[in-house]
Amino acid sequence: MEHIRTTKVEQVKLLDRFSTSNKALTGTLYLTATHLLFIDSHQKETWILHHHIASVEKLALTTSGCPLVIQCKNFRIVHFIVPRERDCHDIYNSLLQLSKQAKYEDLYAFSYNPKQNDSERLRGWQLIDLAEEYKRMGVPNSNWQLSDANREYKICETYPRELYVPRIASKPIIVGSSKFRSKGRFPVLSYYHREKEAAVCRCSQPLSGFSARCLEDEHLLQAISKANPVNRYMYVMDTRPKHRMQSWWATQKDIGRIIVRISSKIWNDEKIRESHEQKRLNAMANRAAGKGYENEDNYSNIRFQFVGIENIHVMRSSLQKLLEVNGTKGLSVNDFYSGLESSGWLRHIKAVMDAAIFLTKAIMIENASVLVHCSDGWDRTSQVCSLGSLLLDSFYRTIRGFMVLIEKDWISFGHKFSERCGHLDSDPKEVSPVFTQFLECVWHLTEQFPQAFEFNEAFLLQIHEHIYSCQFGNFLGNCQKEREELKLKEKTYSLWPFLLDDQKKYLNPLYSPKSQAVAVLEPNTVSFNFKFWRNMYHQFDRTLHPRQSVFSIIMNMNEQNKQLENDIKDLESKIKQHKNKQTDGVLTKELLHSVRPESPTLKTSLCFKEQTLLPVNDALRTIEGSNPADNRYSEYAEEFSKSEPAVVSLEYGVARMTC
Amino acid sequence: MMFFFLFSVSGNASTPEFKKKKNSECLLRLRHEGLLNSCPAGVASCPASSCPFRSPRSPRLKLLESALLLGPRPTAGGMEFSELIRTGRAQAELLRGPGAPPLRGTLCVTGHHLLLSPGPQATSDLWLLLLRSVDSIEKRVAGDSGTITLRCKDLRVLQLDIEGVEATLDIARSIEALSSLESVITSFPFFYRPKGLRLGDAWHFHPPEHHYKRVARETNAWRLSEVNEDFSVCPSYPRAVIVPRAVDDDALARSARFRQGGRFPVLSYHHAPSGTVLLRSSQPLTGPQKRRCAEDEELLRAVLAGARPGARGFIVDTRSAQAAKQARMTGGGTEAKAAYPGWKRLHRPMERGRPLQESFVRLVEACGDLEQSMDRWLSRLEGCRWLAHVKEALSTACLAAQGMEREGACILVHGAEGTDSTLLVTSLAQLILDPLSRTMTGFQELVEREWIQAGHPFQLRCAHSAFSHARPKHEAPTFLLFLDCVWQLGRQFPLSLEFGEGLLLALFEHAYASPFGTFLCNSEKERCLCEVRTRTHSLWSGLNQPKEQRKLRNPLYVLNPLAIWPSVEPQSLRLWQGLFLRWTRPPEPSEAAWEKVWQIVTDKEKTEGSQPTVSASEPQP
């Protein structure tokens, strides 16, 4: 690789992120074509994928060396100290190059080879079939049909080829509507509720500007509401905050005033036509034309509703603030909560959740169809539609169903993964944690409904990992058309089969699918139900985590139970066989005993894997990760080891200690 | 201040008629609840004259009264519960918050309880509330009915809609009067006689001798001293304490005179692997003249001499250096460096007293508001500072534990009085270090030894909970803070504690209001004088009944022989929702999940053929 100048640096120190003393691990740093690897003196390896690197920072030279801080998109933060500045500089430059690729073809997915042949690869890609999914929902049916309008991506480039629309919506209506909607994203079916016969549809904002109307669009919405035989009224959910749209209206009025002023000027003076003011006016008028929401007067049978989810820029800076607060050394409880509050992150999560609940209620209680949109209909709309489907349909709460959900509402409907995740070196303003928020909402649901989901937290974290890893093709590109052009299905692998192969790791042992109570989830969004997701944002800060995992132990027990049950069955069948052969009961008894020693009870102590009972050395005296030295109160250990101060300086020593 | 109401059974039987059927129903239920030879006021308000509640007035009561010179006696030779009960019963509807359906029926106030017996058509059981657990009461009348809002010490909020204005006001007044009685020996534990338990059971589970036996097995440097036999040396210590073998009882008595409240340094825990000890005491009375006490110094020197050779000592003062210095003005202070060679002071300021109580009140207030925005909630969570106290307590305990386990040093913990934050630190440090204290019995022993016998003034600290409008005097949720810290430990080490959240919740409830005698009074001395041990039931015998176990135990427990070092970062600490939000959110999903865990575990035990610890057929209440 042309970017790598130094492949190996020795005597590199890895600092503990939260320690206020400069405690460090010493080891060797390796730079490969795809990963940065640190191996410490205990032979523990830390792998960092280049694509995960969000930023690399070289701090001012210190006496011990040159500090290099790497922030990752999966919220890992590592702080190296490289002894020689030249090495540090080389690595810094290499990482800058390697973490920001200009072309899709340079991403890891195109070189990743999991040793599968082509047919296996193809089967992997065919694992999730959306046509099958729509069939499961119950479409096409008498009211909804598959439209071939976008078969060649002619109407909307960011939509998939196959779209479901009301049967009575003709092609001209669709085409007309798409011209009236931002980026051509006209209203299409996202989820169909079979029992209620109500639909969740999605689109982008109408380009209504001041007061423009579009009859085709109005017809299409009418067609959607007519496709619901029970309730003719439908909800139109604008997921943007009302106040923002109102301030937009205010600027509209300003523009109106300017126009009046300019027109009068034009009237007076023809020369003004080419003036600066005229140009500005045009720009503003253009911008105005690109925004809007449905006017209830023009559309029959709609109820318009704002739900306040902020835009991608607000979300990006909110997460940034959150991470800043959490990264603080010696963070106090009060700073943590005031930081959590001022970042607004949980408020945004709650807003997304509330929107999804609104959608669910509209369908379940009022039996009404819902049309969801934001501006372009690929960020907030995806969040609300997918979360709403998750609340409504228990299928999406299974491992495979969750994959389908992501494929449907995020990948196929053109959530711009590559731009939002910054896969390539592109506009940083397009980066935003929209999908992360969706995962966090799902996590909050798993916390509130511990038995409703087939998967566990590790599954969500793993998906989050691969959104950014660029190791698999699923999330590359910004829409289906782009993915086809990149020939991802021929050149890269799909993530899903790999997750399914590892399914055991992601199973929720408490999952009880038959429980009637969890058919439709009705989460409670009282503020105190929202918690900071430590396992996401501090995934790699092991010292902050619970020291023992309930999940792993229950999983283990479940496994054992199953195995024991199988053993019992085995034995019973053997007993039967034996009874057929001979009526001597003694032998069967012996048989039972002979199997006993293989009983998996011996494997129980999973949680103590890393420890021995005999305190051989320091590291073995506690559960791994739970060492007083790993925790912040260990800073006081210095007080312990300090030599006795003279009586005179005692007061000083005490004062320092307590401050 | 405590004072006594005498009661007599003979009085007032002129209560209105009660339907025979309902009456017998009520009695049956009462008998079942073990309330039978219960409350004298129950007698008063209880209808039938042939009521089997009658029990002769204890002749010992007078004696006790004279023995307990704790406060002014009521002027008129005695007072009757029945005088406090203004009305027997009324028709009412009870609203129990989200999740529980409303109950309609006949409301009845007795000496210790509020009863609601549903009409004959209702299938549900008699509803019963210990009046002692009412923290605040609010009444409103409108038209010809009234509403009483009861805020309980366990943070429950109940609403009673009562027919009749007069009845409402009377019932409210009765509850108000009866729930604030301060007398110990007329309190409910003295009348509670549950089925299946014998008086005197379990009171001798955890005597100091028991603890000493364990220490003596590990080291020879300590002895059990009975210098406090008659509570004259230290009124808040138990009869027997563990002290260095090299120090005789006279020296102890003199050291006691040098410590506030006579709380001289005693052994709290011996950490066998490192050969070090954890001690607790109160502040030394150095005063502005910087007084010294040779025996006290000798005592601490003997501690170091008895520990592993070359051991140093650390005095963890739970006040700031500033506060400790200021305490000198009022006669307190800290150990002077020069006087205690080998010992070094560390100051870890911890909140106590009123600020802690205010913190608790504000947190509960915040948790009761369901409508608040996210920002408001987070800022209130921050503003109440409760989690900051949790962090402070845990990290100070970790510091003490670390000093022993890692540094091989002896640790003496004290604040000012040595009955609050001191106990918090010593008990938590033991949980961190000692695998035995993490078992069901070990933890009960720890609470008994480090809180009840060590003289945490429960009666004063837990007189009111977070809802009371009364001006706080001595109230402080120190014990609750301890339970919260234990909960945090349990969350970080979900397999290492043998008990579950259920036990912690039960302890919280019983500390504030209980039919058992365990948390009564402020010290062993008072408990002795009130004959708590012989005349009330012990909470431990109540909790250790097999039917309670499934609620209290942690099904995932595996003995962990190691120290458990928690993370004290704010990101790792969490609000104890199971306690603070217990009544405001529907608990079903998490309870169902817990049930499932039990299923998996018991299933495992069954298939393995080993003896299940708890029978799986036990129904969940």
Side-chain angles (χ1 to χ4, degrees):
Chain A
M1 292 290 279
E2 70 272 29
H3 301 307
I4 301 178
R5 258 173 247 129
T6 313
T7 54
K8 182 179 174 187
V9 188
E10 281 171 357
Q11 290 296 308
V12 174
K13 282 190 192 127
L14 176 61
L15 293 188
D16 176 2
R17 181 178 166 199
F18 290 106
S19 172
T20 42
S21 64
N22 282 337
K23 202 158 53 95
L25 288 168
T26 309
T28 311
L29 198 62
Y30 299 90
L31 195 58
T32 74
T34 54
H35 288 85
L36 183 69
L37 169 64
F38 178 78
I39 303 180
D40 67 21
S41 49
H42 304 300
Q43 299 304 310
K44 212 182 126 233
E45 296 170 6
T46 307
W47 291 83
I48 297 169
L49 187 65
H50 294 328
H51 297 312
H52 271 148
I53 295 175
S55 75
V56 197
E57 212 180 337
K58 220 175 73 176
L59 304 181
L61 197 66
T62 64
T63 46
S64 51
C66 190
L68 188 69
V69 179
I70 299 173
Q71 288 198 32
C72 299
K73 292 168 183 170
N74 54 4
F75 309 115
R76 187 202 284 272
I77 294 179
V78 283
H79 194 151
F80 290 117
I81 293 189
V82 185
R84 285 194 306 167
E85 201 197 352
R86 207 180 49 108
D87 291 337
C88 185
H89 192 72
D90 283 350
I91 289 177
Y92 171 73
N93 277 336
S94 305
L95 288 181
L96 273 191
Q97 302 287 336
L98 291 166
S99 64
K100 295 262 179 242
Q101 300 294 354
K103 295 202 306 282
Y104 280 115
E105 283 75 13
D106 291 333
L107 294 175
Y108 186 29
F110 290 87
S111 59
Y112 175 65
N113 183 4
K115 300 197 176 62
Q116 278 189 347
N117 61 36
D118 282 354
S119 69
E120 279 174 314
R121 182 205 304 247
L122 190 64
R123 243 180 292 136
W125 279 112
Q126 286 164 346
L127 190 68
I128 305 294
D129 181 1
L130 287 184
E132 199 61 40
E133 167 58 14
Y134 283 102
K135 227 180 266 166
R136 188 193 67 85
M137 288 182 210
V139 286
N141 58 18
S142 55
N143 288 319
W144 293 88
Q145 66 172 1
L146 178 65
S147 158
D148 60 356
N150 202 36
R151 196 143 290 264
E152 305 298 322
Y153 295 118
K154 276 191 180 131
I155 295 180
C156 174
E157 293 200 331
T158 57
Y159 267 171
R161 288 177 193 272
E162 297 184 345
L163 294 167
Y164 292 82
V165 294
R167 201 168 275 280
I168 53 169
S170 64
K171 196 164 176 184
I173 287 184
I174 292 174
V175 173
S177 165
S178 77
K179 290 201 171 113
F180 183 62
R181 294 275 169 180
S182 169
K183 307 286 196 303
R185 294 170 70 91
F186 61 97
V188 294
L189 183 78
S190 161
Y191 177 73
Y192 181 75
H193 198 282
R194 201 195 273 260
E195 282 132 54
K196 299 274 176 188
E197 296 182 75
V200 178
C201 296
R202 54 185 292 167
C203 62
S204 61
Q205 64 178 342
L207 303 175
S208 51
F210 293 109
S211 61
R213 289 180 62 168
C214 170
L215 288 178
E216 288 92 342
D217 194 61
E218 288 163 24
H219 278 141
L220 185 54
L221 259 65
Q222 211 159 21
I224 292 173
S225 70
K226 276 186 185 153
N228 182 338
V230 186
N231 192 340
R232 284 275 177 259
Y233 270 98
M234 70 182 272
Y235 278 99
V236 175
M237 279 173 77
D238 192 327
T239 56
R240 295 168 293 185
K242 193 174 182 183
H243 65 92
R244 283 195 191 265
M245 294 313 286
Q246 275 169 343
S247 67
W248 170 73
W249 269 117
T251 57
Q252 298 305 295
K253 277 184 212 143
D254 285 346
I255 294 171
R257 254 179 257 126
I258 294 170
I259 290 175
V260 172
R261 213 170 72 225
I262 294 174
S263 338
S264 62
K265 272 189 186 169
I266 294 169
W267 191 261
N268 293 336
D269 183 1
E270 285 287 316
K271 269 180 270 175
I272 203 142
R273 193 172 298 170
E274 294 302 313
S275 76
H276 182 68
E277 208 163 342
Q278 176 70 31
K279 276 186 203 157
R280 218 181 77 204
L281 172 70
N282 282 339
M284 281 165 100
N286 279 338
R287 246 179 46 214
K291 274 203 161 194
Y293 53 86
E294 292 82 356
N295 186 338
E296 272 173 292
D297 300 339
N298 299 340
Y299 293 84
S300 51
N301 295 344
I302 72 161
R303 284 181 197 149
F304 192 81
Q305 176 73 33
F306 280 112
V307 291
I309 306 176
E310 294 286 353
N311 64 33
I312 58 166
H313 311 293
V314 175
M315 300 306 189
R316 181 180 53 244
S317 66
S318 168
L319 181 62
Q320 227 148 25
K321 272 185 223 154
L322 181 77
L323 295 177
E324 265 167 42
V325 171
N326 294 329
T328 319
K329 279 181 187 174
L331 184 65
S332 75
V333 174
N334 283 21
D335 289 346
F336 174 65
Y337 282 104
S338 65
L340 203 55
E341 181 202 338
S342 68
S343 77
W345 183 253
L346 289 179
R347 193 180 66 221
H348 300 318
I349 298 290
K350 178 172 151 60
V352 176
M353 198 84 107
D354 279 330
I357 291 169
F358 180 87
L359 184 151
T360 314
K361 279 190 179 151
I363 289 193
M364 291 313 292
I365 297 172
E366 298 189 43
N367 224 89
S369 292
V370 185
L371 174 67
V372 185
H373 74 72
C374 47
S375 300
D376 290 320
W378 49 43
D379 292 313
R380 292 171 264 198
T381 304
S382 295
Q383 286 178 331
V384 175
C385 288
S386 57
L387 210 55
S389 313
L390 192 76
L391 295 177
L392 286 167
D393 194 333
S394 62
F395 169 67
Y396 297 125
R397 294 172 227 141
T398 62
I399 287 190
R400 186 184 280 263
F402 195 64
M403 294 172 179
V404 170
L405 185 66
I406 292 174
E407 279 285 344
K408 172 171 76 80
D409 271 319
W410 293 86
I411 296 174
S412 86
F413 276 115
H415 173 67
K416 303 201 286 178
F417 273 108
S418 272
E419 286 196 358
R420 295 290 176 262
C421 302
H423 288 157
L424 297 177
D425 192 9
S426 54
D427 186 0
K429 284 217 173 70
E430 286 291 324
V431 175
S432 188
V434 178
F435 190 75
T436 308
Q437 284 183 321
F438 164 67
L439 291 180
E440 180 161 342
C441 288
V442 177
W443 174 75
H444 273 109
L445 290 175
T446 63
E447 287 280 293
Q448 267 196 49
F449 303 97
Q451 295 188 279
F453 290 82
E454 191 191 7
F455 49 85
N456 60 21
E457 190 180 34
F459 185 61
L460 299 176
L461 293 177
Q462 193 63 21
I463 290 174
H464 185 258
E465 184 90 0
H466 286 298
I467 299 300
Y468 293 101
S469 73
C470 304
Q471 190 175 348
F472 297 95
N474 308 58
F475 304 107
L476 299 188
N478 293 312
C479 59
Q480 293 295 56
K481 185 171 180 243
E482 203 175 344
R483 286 184 195 107
E484 282 172 20
E485 283 162 5
L486 286 169
K487 297 197 165 53
L488 289 177
K489 292 198 178 174
E490 290 146 53
K491 293 180 175 167
T492 69
Y493 295 86
S494 168
L495 167 67
W496 309 128
F498 292 89
L499 290 183
L500 278 180
D501 284 349
D502 261 356
Q503 214 181 113
K504 260 187 194 167
K505 275 198 253 171
Y506 308 124
L507 284 176
N508 171 11
L510 299 181
Y511 178 52
S512 38
K514 287 177 197 81
S515 171
Q516 265 300 311
V518 291
V520 174
L521 299 185
E522 290 169 38
N524 185 344
T525 57
V526 178
S527 297
F528 34 65
N529 276 339
F530 292 87
K531 292 166 281 191
F532 172 68
W533 191 7
R534 187 195 51 228
N535 287 0
M536 170 67 101
Y537 304 104
H538 289 296
Q539 208 182 137
F540 298 93
D541 303 311
R542 291 212 50 206
T543 55
L544 301 186
H545 290 218
R547 315 304 208 225
Q548 296 170 322
S549 158
V550 174
F551 262 125
S552 62
I553 195 101
I554 301 179
M555 294 263 268
N556 201 30
M557 285 183 186
N558 242 350
E559 284 280 295
Q560 287 183 21
N561 284 352
K562 274 183 205 145
Q563 206 180 324
L564 286 163
E565 271 159 28
N566 287 339
D567 283 0
I568 291 174
K569 270 183 208 146
D570 270 12
L571 289 169
E572 277 170 351
S573 67
K574 272 182 195 167
I575 289 174
K576 262 183 204 157
Q577 283 175 10
H578 275 263
K579 271 186 180 160
N580 290 343
K581 281 180 193 165
Q582 48 187 177
T583 40
D584 188 5
V586 184
L587 202 123
T588 50
K589 224 176 197 176
E590 273 168 13
L591 192 80
L592 267 169
H593 282 290
S594 67
V595 187
R596 208 58 201 149
E598 286 163 38
S599 147
T601 343
L602 300 168
K603 294 182 288 185
T604 327
S605 50
L606 187 84
C607 55
F608 299 126
K609 226 192 309 189
E610 297 97 333
Q611 14 157 327
T612 52
L613 301 189
L614 297 168
V616 184
N617 64 37
D618 209 55
L620 290 173
R621 270 158 69 179
T622 48
I623 296 168
E624 205 228 342
S626 157
N627 185 303
D630 292 337
N631 296 308
R632 190 122 52 74
Y633 45 81
S634 65
E635 257 64 80
Y636 284 90
E638 288 154 42
E639 294 300 334
F640 285 134
S641 52
K642 229 187 258 170
S643 60
E644 297 283 300
V647 181
V648 190
S649 68
L650 178 74
E651 291 300 306
Y652 168 71
V654 169
R656 253 204 47 200
M657 222 179 299
T658 48
C659 64
Chain B
M1 275 292 136
M2 260 184 269
F3 51 93
F4 287 98
F5 292 111
L6 287 185
F7 54 85
S8 62
V9 202
S10 52
N12 224 324
S14 63
T15 42
E17 279 302 306
F18 199 60
K19 281 190 188 110
K20 261 256 161 72
K21 188 188 164 206
K22 202 172 280 173
N23 181 17
S24 59
E25 213 173 72
C26 165
L27 286 180
L28 259 172
R29 168 75 181 169
L30 285 176
R31 192 174 288 129
H32 181 71
E33 285 286 310
L35 308 171
L36 203 56
N37 41 16
S38 158
C39 23
V43 177
S45 78
C46 219
S49 53
S50 62
C51 176
F53 282 6
R54 284 171 180 284
S55 65
R57 192 187 135 203
S58 162
R60 249 190 318 210
L61 212 64
K62 261 254 151 30
L63 276 171
L64 263 171
E65 220 197 350
S66 51
L68 261 175
L69 291 172
L70 291 168
R73 269 181 252 168
T75 42
M79 186 155 176
E80 293 161 17
F81 276 147
S82 47
E83 285 172 23
L84 299 171
I85 301 170
R86 312 225 167 201
T87 182
R89 56 191 55 77
Q91 288 300 312
E93 186 174 42
L94 169 75
L95 301 169
R96 291 177 290 178
L103 269 183
R104 263 191 107 32
T106 311
L107 189 72
C108 169
V109 186
T110 73
H112 292 118
H113 285 95
L114 194 60
L115 304 164
L116 188 87
S117 110
Q121 74 282 1
T123 49
S124 53
D125 254 344
L126 186 77
W127 177 86
L128 201 93
L129 179 78
L130 195 60
L131 282 174
R132 174 91 192 140
S133 67
V134 173
D135 203 24
S136 87
I137 173 168
E138 204 182 283
K139 51 181 184 282
R140 258 196 335 267
V141 284
D144 57 354
S145 70
T147 301
I148 295 180
T149 308
L150 297 175
R151 292 190 165 76
C152 300
K153 288 175 180 166
D154 60 1
L155 310 182
R156 228 176 336 163
V157 179
L158 303 165
Q159 191 183 316
L160 287 164
D161 294 327
I162 299 169
E163 287 168 19
V165 173
E166 209 43 48
T168 307
L169 295 178
D170 282 347
I171 285 177
R173 256 175 255 140
S174 312
I175 295 174
E176 227 161 333
L178 288 165
S179 64
S180 57
L181 290 183
E182 293 188 37
S183 142
V184 173
I185 52 165
T186 58
S187 65
F188 183 58
F190 285 86
F191 304 94
Y192 180 53
R193 298 291 175 263
K195 226 172 51 180
L197 297 182
R198 277 188 306 127
L199 268 183
D201 270 0
W203 278 114
H204 301 289
F205 271 3
H206 317 293
E209 290 80 8
H210 186 264
H211 182 218
Y212 177 67
K213 252 184 224 156
R214 184 179 165 201
V215 177
R217 271 201 301 275
E218 296 162 350
T219 170
N220 195 30
W222 297 81
R223 69 185 180 92
L224 193 68
S225 163
E226 298 195 340
V227 65
N228 202 34
E229 176 73 63
D230 54 355
F231 304 110
S232 59
V233 173
C234 171
S236 60
Y237 271 169
R239 290 177 192 278
V241 289
I242 305 172
V243 295
R245 189 171 292 282
V247 182
D248 61 21
D249 282 356
D250 287 345
L252 291 178
R254 242 165 272 144
S255 164
R257 255 172 268 145
F258 182 61
R259 296 272 174 179
Q260 184 176 358
R263 294 176 70 91
F264 55 91
V266 294
L267 182 91
S268 161
Y269 171 61
H270 179 251
H271 186 242
S274 66
T276 56
V277 291
L278 182 65
L279 305 163
R280 52 181 159 75
S281 70
S282 61
Q283 64 176 343
L285 301 173
T286 46
Q289 291 91 28
K290 300 193 181 176
R291 284 200 311 130
R292 292 176 57 170
C293 169
E295 287 79 7
D296 194 69
E297 291 162 20
E298 175 53 38
L299 201 162
L300 288 189
R301 202 168 328 142
V303 168
L304 289 190
R308 66 173 187 97
R312 291 172 302 153
F314 289 98
I315 298 169
V316 176
D317 194 325
T318 61
R319 303 163 293 177
S320 67
Q322 187 68 26
K325 219 169 164 185
Q326 271 169 1
R328 265 197 229 143
M329 296 303 123
T330 51
T334 54
E335 292 82 355
K337 178 79 212 162
Y340 297 88
W343 289 89
K344 192 175 152 188
R345 259 187 300 136
L346 300 173
H347 288 274
R348 294 301 307 262
M350 285 166 68
E351 209 60 83
R352 69 202 77 211
R354 192 172 296 179
L356 203 58
Q357 177 74 9
E358 273 164 15
S359 187
F360 177 39
V361 170
R362 272 156 68 191
L363 176 59
V364 170
E365 235 171 57
C367 289
D369 186 353
L370 295 170
E371 300 301 315
Q372 63 199 331
S373 71
M374 184 66 72
D375 288 2
R376 177 98 180 101
W377 159 245
L378 289 173
S379 90
R380 286 172 88 172
L381 193 57
E382 178 215 338
C384 77
R385 293 186 49 79
W386 181 261
L387 284 168
H389 303 320
V390 170
K391 178 180 153 87
E392 211 39 71
L394 271 177
S395 55
T396 309
C398 287
L399 176 73
Q402 199 186 353
M404 296 167 71
E405 212 242 346
R406 298 284 148 141
E407 307 295 324
C410 295
I411 307 281
L412 166 65
V413 185
H414 72 71
E417 290 142 322
T419 52
D420 292 279
S421 53
T422 306
L423 305 181
L424 188 58
V425 174
T426 55
S427 53
L428 284 175
Q430 288 177 56
L431 268 176
I432 291 165
L433 291 176
D434 183 9
L436 274 183
S437 69
R438 292 178 229 134
T439 62
M440 194 71 167
T441 42
F443 185 68
Q444 292 177 5
E445 199 234 304
L446 184 77
V447 171
E448 178 76 32
R449 178 163 52 83
E450 286 296 297
W451 288 89
I452 297 167
Q453 294 178 10
H456 178 68
F458 278 100
Q459 194 85 14
L460 292 173
R461 297 289 180 259
C462 301
H464 289 291
S465 175
F467 291 122
S468 170
H469 301 302
R471 238 172 68 84
K473 285 169 287 190
H474 303 286
E475 288 82 358
T478 322
F479 187 62
L480 172 60
L481 186 58
F482 164 70
L483 295 177
D484 197 338
C485 291
V486 177
W487 180 81
Q488 307 278 354
L489 279 174
R491 233 181 60 78
Q492 294 194 25
F493 297 89
L495 316 178
S496 296
L497 304 183
E498 198 185 0
F499 48 93
E501 190 181 37
L503 178 68
L504 301 176
L505 290 175
L507 289 179
F508 165 67
E509 274 171 33
H510 285 284
Y512 278 89
S514 170
F516 296 98
T518 296
F519 288 108
L520 287 181
C521 303
N522 293 309
S523 64
E524 282 300 286
K525 183 182 178 183
E526 289 178 18
R527 253 165 247 135
C528 248
L529 290 171
C530 295
E531 298 180 319
V532 167
R533 277 165 187 258
T534 49
R535 301 182 52 216
T536 71
H537 282 282
S538 159
L539 173 63
W540 310 128
S541 65
L543 288 182
N544 291 333
Q545 295 176 87
K547 63 171 182 183
E548 302 286 334
Q549 292 303 298
R550 192 153 177 159
K551 268 190 291 180
L552 309 177
R553 265 176 204 278
N554 173 10
L556 301 172
Y557 173 69
V558 190
L559 176 77
N560 173 6
L562 310 167
I564 50 174
W565 301 105
S567 161
V568 295
E569 300 292 334
Q571 292 98 319
S572 309
L573 302 176
R574 232 182 222 184
L575 180 72
W576 185 4
Q577 298 209 340
L579 186 126
F580 293 106
L581 303 174
R582 188 176 177 189
W583 309 108
T584 43
R585 53 163 204 173
E588 295 96 23
S590 57
E591 261 172 23
W594 197 239
E595 193 45 44
K596 174 99 184 185
V597 172
W598 265 110
Q599 250 175 40
I600 293 172
V601 174
T602 45
D603 199 24
K604 172 171 179 276
E605 281 168 353
K606 260 190 288 178
T607 40
E608 271 179 14
S610 68
Q611 202 60 42
T613 42
V614 175
S615 105
S617 58
E618 199 63 58
Q620 262 306 68

